Amino acid sequence: MSTEQGYYAKGFDSSISKTHAWRTVENSCAYLIRYIKDNDKVLDVGCGPGTITMDLARRYVPKGEVIGVEPIQEFVDAGNLKRSEMNLKNCHFQFASGDKLPFEDNTFDIVHAHQVLVHVENQVDVLKEMKRVTKPGGIVCSKDADLETSQVYPTKLDETLKSQFLAKTKCSSTHPQAGRHLRKWAIDSGFSPMSISSSASLWFIANEEDRKWFGKMFRDRALHSTETLIPFDAEGDLRKRQEVAQAWDDFIRDSSSCYYLMHGEVVCKK
């Protein structure tokens, strides 16, 4: 199985995809902006629904090229349809896995992955591939959640809602502490510590509109996705899904509610 496909082990899931499709460069990889030149050639590894990929092409590298790769054909097809509708001639999507990139050595100025290493078993192998296809002087970048840092207020909702984010760490390759491991994985993949710039950022959801939108997305994901919250117990899994959905309803209704999650970031110069 391809490294990224462990996250979609049961195939494409629109309930999961919808919780990824809100991502843009500004809200999901702002740490990268200062490194981008308008004529760069960029590879977006494990691009999912491609919203970051297309945002890069449209706003940040209008004179360059952006390629998004995914081992889920539905994402590839949907991405190519959307970029055609947007008339983005400097962007396209193709089928590929992060540990077997179909490109020559030294091809890209920037090779980027967002929330990919957190979900694969062989993070170092993926980083080595990302490094291989990066030009000398180019950069490899990754941002990944540190799922154990999830925090919810009111505290009565914390354990229930946190369980949704941590459930995949119990029955897949998803790593509960990926954000804090990024620097180590980069060093293990062959980057010198002096060539690695590390940072962190925060998702914080509290304002009325954001809270309602975010809560509804993850409520729907709890109820309708193929994710398992309680492994090997269908009845227990259903009860847990309903419990999580109810907690998101409470989160949405309570104007004092908030959610935050820390992320690690690395920029590695080749």
Side-chain angles (χ1 to χ4, degrees):
M1 179 179 291
S2 299
T3 55
E4 292 96 338
Q5 284 180 312
Y7 192 58
Y8 288 93
K10 298 178 181 178
F12 174 77
D13 187 324
S14 62
S15 298
I16 298 175
S17 176
K18 287 176 182 177
T19 63
H20 297 165
W22 63 279
R23 298 170 179 173
T24 66
V25 173
E26 187 175 356
N27 68 28
S28 296
C29 48
Y31 75 104
L32 181 59
I33 293 174
R34 68 189 184 98
Y35 297 97
I36 302 173
K37 301 185 296 294
D38 65 0
N39 63 345
D40 277 340
K41 186 169 185 176
V42 181
L43 178 65
D44 192 11
V45 177
C47 61
T51 51
I52 292 175
T53 319
M54 289 181 276
D55 196 31
L56 281 165
R58 182 173 64 88
R59 298 178 60 197
Y60 296 95
V61 290
K63 300 177 184 177
E65 180 184 8
V66 185
I67 300 173
V69 294
E70 251 294 330
I72 303 294
Q73 190 63 48
E74 288 91 340
F75 280 137
V76 175
D77 295 342
N80 280 322
L81 177 61
K82 184 65 175 178
R83 61 98 177 172
S84 295
E85 292 172 350
M86 295 174 65
N87 197 32
L88 285 174
K89 300 184 184 302
N90 64 332
C91 174
H92 76 271
F93 297 86
Q94 65 186 78
F95 184 93
S97 182
D99 58 352
K100 295 179 182 178
L101 295 171
F103 306 105
E104 298 293 329
D105 296 355
N106 309 321
T107 298
F108 298 93
D109 299 290
I110 297 175
V111 180
H112 163 264
H114 182 268
Q115 311 299 351
V116 173
L117 299 182
V118 63
H119 294 304
V120 303
E121 293 180 1
N122 53 345
Q123 299 93 352
V124 171
D125 290 341
V126 174
L127 281 167
K128 285 180 177 179
E129 267 293 271
M130 292 170 68
K131 182 180 180 183
R132 179 185 66 78
V133 301
T134 302
K135 296 176 182 178
I139 56 173
V140 171
C141 313
S142 185
K143 175 177 177 176
D144 289 277
D146 198 308
L147 294 169
E148 287 187 353
T149 67
S150 297
Q151 298 291 324
V152 181
Y153 183 85
T155 53
K156 65 180 180 181
L157 304 178
D158 185 64
E159 183 177 352
T160 299
L161 295 184
K162 188 182 294 185
S163 70
Q164 182 183 17
F165 292 97
L166 290 173
K168 199 164 264 301
T169 68
K170 297 177 173 62
C171 54
S172 76
S173 59
T174 297
H175 198 295
Q177 301 175 342
R180 72 190 81 172
H181 280 73
L182 278 178
R183 188 174 180 88
K184 175 66 161 55
W185 292 336
I187 292 170
D188 289 348
S189 68
F191 286 102
S192 161
M194 295 297 293
S195 72
I196 304 169
S197 175
S198 298
S199 56
S201 58
L202 179 73
W203 280 354
F204 186 76
I205 306 296
N207 296 333
E208 288 294 306
E209 184 177 349
D210 293 342
R211 194 183 71 256
K212 292 174 182 177
W213 155 77
F214 189 84
K216 184 180 185 304
M217 275 200 310
F218 280 94
R219 179 188 186 278
D220 292 346
R221 179 164 165 173
L223 289 175
H224 304 301
S225 80
T226 57
E227 290 179 301
T228 300
L229 301 184
I230 304 292
F232 313 115
D233 181 355
E235 291 185 5
D237 186 63
L238 179 58
R239 287 194 299 271
K240 190 65 175 179
R241 288 172 180 271
Q242 293 169 340
E243 178 188 354
V244 170
Q246 180 59 58
W248 280 121
D249 284 339
D250 294 342
F251 178 89
I252 292 167
R253 284 194 295 266
D254 187 342
S255 294
S256 69
S257 295
C258 61
Y259 166 82
Y260 66 81
L261 174 67
M262 290 297 300
H263 299 77
E265 302 159 344
V266 289
V267 176
C268 312
K269 186 173 182 180
K270 181 173 176 180

